[in-house]
Amino acid sequence: VLGENAIAVRTKAMKCLSEVVAVDPSILARLDMQRGVHGRLMDNSTSVREAAVELLGRFVLCRPQLAEEEYYDMLIERIL
């Protein structure tokens, strides 16, 4: 679904993933989830990028090791 052409679908997919991660934050450690989130951080759509940043911002606070181990480079790339 994250590769869908419709912007609204990709945005909703990120928001749904955010709800799943609320229940099980460890899912963000999976390689396929990392690739999906990274792809959405670089999405052409602002709303999709915002949903991805919101997802990471929300859960990096409760699992700081995710920021250091898996998502640090992605966040720095997005900032630059």
Side-chain angles (χ1 to χ4, degrees):
V1 175
L2 292 176
E4 178 68 36
N5 286 333
I7 293 169
V9 173
R10 292 194 314 272
T11 303
K12 282 282 191 191
M14 287 305 301
K15 290 181 180 184
C16 288
L17 179 58
S18 183
E19 295 302 318
V20 170
V21 173
V23 175
D24 183 11
S26 67
I27 197 167
L28 286 177
R30 291 177 40 167
L31 188 56
D32 57 342
M33 291 294 118
Q34 292 173 31
R35 281 190 219 124
V37 171
H38 182 260
R40 299 303 54 96
L41 283 170
M42 299 300 168
D43 200 278
N44 289 332
S45 168
T46 303
S47 62
V48 176
R49 291 192 311 265
E50 285 176 350
V53 168
E54 182 179 325
L55 166 78
L56 290 181
R58 196 166 159 196
F59 297 105
V60 163
L61 291 176
C62 67
R63 299 280 306 263
Q65 67 273 20
L66 287 176
E68 296 170 10
E69 296 169 6
E70 284 94 2
Y71 291 95
Y72 180 79
D73 290 337
M74 289 180 208
L75 290 169
I76 292 300
E77 183 180 355
R78 181 67 257 170
I79 291 168
L80 295 175

